[in-house]
Amino acid sequence: MNRGLLLALGLIFLFHLSAGLYLVYQRPALFFQNDAEEYYELGKNLGERGEFVIEKQRYYEPRRSKIIPEAYRTQIFSVAHGALVYCRIPAPAAAALLLALISVVSGWLMYAIAYRLTGGSVSASYLALILYQLHPLLGLYSVQFGSEAMFTAGLLWFYYSLISYRGWKQIILAAVAGAVTTLVRPTALVFLPAGVCLIFFLARSFHYRIWLKAGVYAALFFLILAPAGIRSLIQSGSFSLTGYLGGYNLYVGNNRHNLAAYTADNGHDFLHHQTLGWNEAISLVQALPADTTPAEADRYMMTRAKQELAEMGPGNVIRLFAGKAWHFLRPYPLPDIHGTFKFWAMTLLESLLFLAGIAGAFFLWKKEKAAFWAALMIIGSGFAGHTLVHVYMRHRVPFLIPFLILFSAVLFQQFLAYLSARKEHHEVLESDPC
């Protein structure tokens, strides 16, 4: 690792640590957004008491009369926080430190991946690192205590494993990275079947050795997740690799209110209808008998979601999925929500990034087809997973924005190569005595 990169990563660490400490102590409402307080309480209780529990009643679980072991949130993010708390670091400072460490890992991965994709272009690699730090949403999520920052790092680690190694080392490291990332956020479970498909697709063969590689990848991926499944079987009587929020999330993303949201004409109507869907999902869960197990509640909400889809009919289901698909891909935020300046500034930024990313993806496809298809598999997995469930900005960004930045770095490297070739051409012409 060169000194320049070490300095850059050191500055990134100091900035994120300082920002995190300021926010957690001075502006906790901004630091603890969305489901951050749950991850924080899990880590704090684990580090201080050795208990992986949340004491307070949550909106998406049935009423309960006693504290139960955590059955909804995946483990790794809170376990990492708990490990720092166990080392006698105060829980708020440990949260800020964890985010700072993740920011360094993500920064190094962006540089290393760009370096690999651009054939060793230092300039293009630094560009990827800088753009990753400057992107408003990536920057915001990197200083908020949620799983977004670690999940983004996990996706980059998974991609790095796919493109940086060959043979059995690639298979093993990719399976480990994919499984660990699934323990950060369950959406990554799609990498189990998607990774198997990628192995066969890139090999263009069904030879027994390819079957063996695909089998080892799938088996190792599953075995890493198996302890979480066994834990859920012991505690809730049902085997689940990723917790019991799947049914609730499926209903939240697939109901008549969400159909109205994703076909709305403006952002205010979108949020209004989406809120109605959330409230209805909460009411259904809260109406279940007290102390209904997480597994039973999950099955109930899964059934209700399927009923909603059946009642919509095929045409409306297609409209709903198409609306969520566009919501995942569109290069602008919700209209009428953020103000004119913010809306157009974000739209311009995202549009430029999309254009540069698409152009860079084309060049990557021409020279590094395996790396291109691996990136497309990751993006496509996120697209499919969230289109089938629900699409929020913080779910979309990790799957899309880092890869558009990496593709843009490829485009920048191509531009530098063009300038270099043109300069050499002129030098040859000037040195020609004829």
Side-chain angles (χ1 to χ4, degrees):
M1 189 181 298
N2 61 64
R3 291 182 180 179
L5 180 58
L6 279 173
L7 176 61
L9 294 177
L11 292 174
I12 288 170
F13 174 79
L14 291 175
F15 171 79
H16 281 83
L17 182 60
S18 301
L21 289 172
Y22 169 76
L23 291 174
V24 72
Y25 285 110
Q26 301 298 323
R27 300 189 63 185
L30 180 58
F31 187 78
F32 295 108
Q33 288 280 315
N34 301 306
D35 47 16
E37 290 185 355
E38 294 182 29
Y39 287 111
Y40 178 81
E41 184 177 344
L42 283 170
K44 184 173 184 292
N45 289 340
L46 181 63
E48 293 178 349
R49 295 157 32 190
E51 299 177 351
F52 199 65
V53 298
I54 289 181
E55 296 180 1
K56 67 179 181 181
Q57 175 76 44
R58 288 166 290 180
Y59 61 89
Y60 53 77
E61 64 177 338
R63 291 171 292 112
R64 51 184 167 87
S65 59
K66 59 183 179 181
I67 300 173
I68 62 173
E70 179 56 25
Y72 297 97
R73 298 296 179 188
T74 43
Q75 297 92 353
I76 291 294
F77 185 59
S78 295
V79 168
H81 177 228
L84 294 175
V85 174
Y86 182 78
C87 294
R88 307 300 182 186
I89 301 174
L97 176 59
L98 177 59
L99 291 180
L101 293 172
I102 292 171
S103 71
V104 172
V105 173
S106 298
W108 181 84
L109 284 167
M110 285 297 291
Y111 181 94
I113 293 170
Y115 192 84
R116 167 70 178 78
L117 297 181
T118 60
S121 172
V122 174
S123 299
S125 303
Y126 274 118
L127 176 67
L129 175 61
I130 292 169
L131 289 179
Y132 185 87
Q133 303 302 319
L134 294 181
H135 190 280
L137 291 175
L138 288 172
L140 178 64
Y141 299 149
S142 71
V143 294
Q144 289 182 330
F145 195 71
S147 61
E148 287 76 26
M150 180 175 277
F151 186 66
T152 305
L155 295 180
L156 292 173
W157 176 30
F158 182 59
Y159 185 51
Y160 179 79
S161 300
L162 288 172
I163 66 172
S164 298
Y165 304 100
R166 292 291 180 268
W168 285 109
K169 193 173 184 179
Q170 176 196 51
I171 297 297
I172 292 171
L173 292 178
V176 171
V180 171
T181 303
T182 304
L183 292 173
V184 178
R185 186 175 282 176
T187 315
L189 184 61
V190 74
F191 293 152
L192 201 166
V196 169
C197 293
L198 183 69
I199 290 169
F200 283 113
F201 178 79
L202 294 179
R204 301 289 201 278
S205 168
F206 290 98
H207 191 273
Y208 80 92
R209 290 181 181 176
I210 308 304
W211 280 100
L212 181 60
K213 286 185 177 181
V216 169
Y217 170 86
L220 182 56
F221 199 119
F222 176 82
L223 287 173
I224 294 172
L225 297 177
I230 294 171
R231 175 180 179 270
S232 66
L233 181 63
I234 295 171
Q235 294 176 348
S236 300
S238 176
F239 188 84
S240 174
L241 296 175
T242 58
Y244 296 106
L245 265 178
Y248 175 85
N249 284 329
L250 189 66
Y251 185 90
V252 166
N254 296 285
N255 59 68
R256 59 194 178 281
H257 298 297
N258 239 22
L259 173 62
Y262 283 103
T263 55
D265 295 326
N266 59 74
H268 291 290
D269 287 345
F270 175 91
L271 294 177
H272 170 70
H273 290 295
Q274 195 173 66
T275 301
L276 291 176
W278 286 340
N279 291 338
E280 186 166 289
I282 294 169
S283 298
L284 287 172
V285 172
Q286 295 296 317
L288 289 170
D291 293 321
T292 297
T293 68
E296 292 169 340
D298 187 55
R299 286 193 293 268
Y300 172 74
M301 293 302 290
M302 194 78 69
T303 300
R304 291 301 301 259
K306 293 175 182 177
Q307 291 174 353
E308 284 281 326
L309 289 171
E311 292 170 3
M312 283 185 204
N316 282 329
V317 169
I318 292 172
R319 290 176 65 206
L320 173 61
F321 287 167
K324 289 190 285 187
W326 175 239
H327 200 72
F328 186 94
L329 294 172
R330 69 184 185 188
Y332 57 86
L334 282 174
D336 308 321
I337 296 296
H338 303 284
T340 302
F341 175 78
K342 286 184 178 180
F343 173 82
W344 286 109
M346 197 66 187
T347 299
L348 178 61
L349 171 66
E350 293 290 277
S351 298
L352 290 174
L353 185 58
F354 265 77
L355 290 172
I358 291 171
F362 171 74
F363 286 112
L364 182 62
W365 173 77
K366 288 183 66 176
K367 68 173 188 175
E368 287 277 0
K369 285 184 170 55
F372 169 81
W373 289 116
L376 196 65
M377 181 271 283
I378 295 173
I379 296 171
S381 296
F383 172 81
H386 286 296
T387 296
L388 292 175
V389 184
H390 52 64
V391 181
Y392 301 147
M393 187 64 73
R394 65 193 182 94
H395 297 160
R396 161 191 179 270
V397 166
F399 279 104
L400 196 57
I401 301 304
F403 293 94
L404 290 175
I405 291 174
L406 290 168
F407 295 156
S408 299
V410 173
L411 178 65
F412 182 67
Q413 183 268 332
Q414 290 292 314
F415 177 68
L416 292 179
Y418 167 77
L419 292 180
S420 177
R422 187 174 179 179
K423 181 180 178 181
E424 290 179 5
H425 178 68
H426 281 293
E427 289 176 350
V428 169
L429 290 178
E430 290 174 0
S431 63
D432 190 344
C434 296

